[in-house]
């Protein structure tokens, strides 16, 4: 049987159409290759191309934004990193004669807003938690729910339930984890590797088994781009109802939905909220607006001072934070990278907390406003929860 | 606030790195564009490219495999289909100087084995069921389970539960829907639009609300490529333990798992099994091997005569089919395209059923071994179920 299919494979290798799915062109090269010395080599066969460059965060450890790939006479292009790649999940593209393109030898991509990037993991301790490992796995579901007050009637969340949830009969604490501007209910799963991080850290005993709820913070949207009744409309970065108080006002409805539909422990000591960038802003606002809801708050590179509109939610913020800290959260965790464009905003925000003697934990990393930091922050924040 | 972010947007438009996710380069063109006359126009800005072609099943209605895109002096490439596109979900790529590339103006892609294609829907009656619509939505979960007898210990299925499942208290019939060679537990969801088809056809009253179970039929694998402990290993088409009887032998364990974990009606009249290509072969083998399990059987472009190895499952097939048809299935449905490379195999298989006077329903379409047929077959098979 393999022989029979193989004949068709060769006959159809270059046609897309009549015999879909069964057949594919064999890749001419392997790419990327992690070499024995820890460097990575990127390869492309492109005899018709004039110029091919590598772009992406894979070049950041070397202070580069773009790397020309060397061509041989047969039309093979190659680039090897100048030194070993630090352990991390990396994204990259090729620029083929100036057009951003994916690596045809790498089937794995992640969408970030409207751009598609190839992805791979350079192995090592710092990326070990981002890999799917042979450990017990939680369930990831895409679940629709009604959001009272939203401009659309049904909206979608992603929800991670820990290994054994379905049969344990136990109730679990819940982390509500919020995306940034341009993100959606898939962002933390795909770019943030949430399911892998939770599976791995639960398996190692570093963290408590917990439910993780990933709402969509764009109140004008039903769900992630391509997965709503908007169809395959190209994603846009700016949307209405993102930082105008609508999401924060509706948030207790999400908590109610989760606690009515999942075995969640329904008290403050077993609820956490955290988010990145806009999601950090949301976490700050929601946790201060409903001071009895969350005992654990995480602000990751938070756009902490950027609400717009005249929402009641955004009035008297300092007084509401004073009210929140009258019974201080068990953990109030602020993290940002030294190169983040929101760094100064976070310095100012911490000064306000300091002036009021409100306790918090601060973690400063290198780097900027980027997923490598947000994944890392999550692995540092999770072990603090529900202790 | 929008103004502040917009400044960073411009500053960072071409860098990938320090301010990830918040910023993106504005698209220079829109692509694809569905025109008022039903034609589709594909656009690419590529001043550095020498040659750009369009490839993909979007050209099939016009008998074309590849279309050169016209370049203007500024470096914009364009191609408009020679006539209106029939309503369908289409996939395509650009070939930029000979390298298969995605359309940078279209963020939506589907992986088929190891190839990534852009996707869009040409609207109309024939594609209406494939669109996400503003109707009640079921939940899609990725669930891990133990497969006794598998060469790996835990494996993943996708499972669709119909709108209202979580709160209705009702029990539901179950369709087990199997992928083809090179596919996985995501294939019917992504290329097959199962969640959209089920949501839409349940909403219209055409079909019964049902659970749809999408197992991974590659017994050597835990889960889809990139979502198992193999990491981001490039997908391969040929795998061991696919058509050697292992999957069929373990299948009752999947039914047991589903019926123990979901509100499934646990009798033959409320179980269906169907699949495409290799999955059609599996459906034939499993339904005949366990004649008391399934009252509804669908063979879509089935590789019906291709078992390998000396499995007990593949012995005495005709006699086992006679045993199965001693109490004929309520529906035994065979569908194939006139141009399918498995057409003759299906003619022969039907001749065997005819010779034994076993009742079945036959549907013959145009076209070949392709997802446009499998989506269509699913919409024709579903209304026959559980009546």
């Amino acid at each position: 049987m393999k022989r029979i299919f193989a004949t068709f494979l060769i006959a159809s290798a270059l046609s897309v159409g009549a015999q879909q799915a069964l057949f594919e062109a064999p890749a001419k090269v392997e790419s990327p290759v992690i070499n024995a010395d820890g460097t990575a080599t990127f390869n492309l066969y492109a005899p018709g191309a004039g110029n091919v460059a590598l772009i992406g965060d894979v070049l950041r450890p070397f202070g580069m934004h773009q790397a020309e790939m060397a061509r041989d006479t047969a039309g093979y292009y190659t680039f090897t990193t100048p030194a070993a790649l630090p352990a991390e999940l990396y994204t990259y593209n090729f620029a083929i004669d100036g057009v951003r393109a994916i690596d045809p030898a790498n089937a794995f991509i992640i969408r970030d807003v409207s751009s598609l990037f190839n992805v791979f993991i350079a192995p090592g301790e710092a990326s070990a938690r981002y890999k799917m490992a042979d450990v017990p796995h939680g369930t990831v579901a895409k679940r629709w729910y009604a959001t009272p007050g939203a401009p659309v009637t049904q909206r979608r969340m992603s929800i991670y339930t820990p290994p054994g949830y379905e049969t344990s009969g136990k109730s679990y604490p819940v982390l509500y984890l919020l995306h940034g501007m341009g993100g959606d209910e898939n962002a933390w799963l795909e770019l943030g590797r949430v399911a892998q991080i939770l599976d791995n850290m639960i398996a190692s005993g570093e963290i408590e088994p917990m439910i993780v709820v990933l709402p969509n913070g764009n109140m004008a949207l039903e769900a992630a781009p391509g997965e709503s009744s908007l169809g395959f409309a190209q994603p846009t970065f700016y949307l209405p109802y993102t930082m105008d108080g609508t999401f924060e006002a509706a948030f207790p409805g999400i908590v109610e939905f989760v606690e009515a539909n999942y075995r969640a422990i329904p008290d403050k000591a077993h609820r956490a909220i955290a988010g990145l960038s806009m999601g950090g802003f949301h976490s700050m606002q929601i946790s201060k607006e409903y001071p009895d809801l969350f005992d654990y708050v995480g602000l990751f590179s938070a756009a902490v001072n950027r609400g717009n509109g005249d929402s009641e939610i955004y009035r008297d913020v300092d007084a509401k934070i004073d009210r929140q800290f009258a019974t201080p959260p068990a953990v109030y965790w602020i993290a940002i990278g030294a190169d983040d464009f929101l760094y100064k905003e976070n310095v100012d925000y911490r000064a306000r907390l300091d002036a009021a003697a409100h306790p918090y934990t601060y973690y400063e990393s290198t780097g900027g406003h980027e997923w490598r930091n947000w994944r890392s922050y999550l692995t540092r924040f999770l072990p603090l929860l529900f202790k």
Side-chain angles (χ1 to χ4, degrees), chain A residues 122-202:
Chain A
E125 193 187 336
S127 62
R129 294 187 183 97
Y130 310 155
K131 298 180 81 163
M132 284 294 282
D134 188 12
V135 298
H137 300 296
T139 298
V140 175
K142 305 295 174 90
R143 177 89 185 262
W144 293 79
Y145 64 105
T147 309
V152 290
T153 52
Q154 52 175 350
R155 306 184 65 249
R156 198 175 77 163
M157 62 173 61
S158 300
I159 186 158
Y160 169 92
T161 47
Y165 171 86
E166 289 90 346
T167 52
S168 72
K170 288 185 197 164
S171 293
Y172 296 86
V174 182
L175 166 62
Y176 296 83
L177 188 58
L178 311 182
H179 62 78
M181 190 167 281
D184 53 56
E185 75 276 19
N186 296 338
W188 266 110
L189 285 170
E190 294 174 5
L191 288 148
R193 305 292 285 178
V194 156
Q196 293 78 23
I197 289 170
L198 269 285
D199 283 351
N200 290 329
M201 295 184 76
I202 291 170

Side-chain angles (χ1 to χ4, degrees), chain A residues 81-143:
Chain A
T81 57
L85 267 181
E88 185 50 79
L89 180 147
Y90 291 104
T91 57
Y92 71 99
N93 287 118
F94 291 148
I96 300 175
D97 290 331
V99 181
R100 183 188 280 200
I102 52 161
D103 180 349
N106 181 350
F108 302 106
I109 56 102
I110 295 180
R111 182 182 59 79
D112 193 2
V113 194
S114 64
S115 300
L116 299 171
F117 297 92
N118 284 105
V119 60
F120 73 102
I121 290 177
E125 193 187 336
S127 62
R129 294 187 183 97
Y130 310 155
K131 298 180 81 163
M132 284 294 282
D134 188 12
V135 298
H137 300 296
T139 298
V140 175
K142 305 295 174 90
R143 177 89 185 262

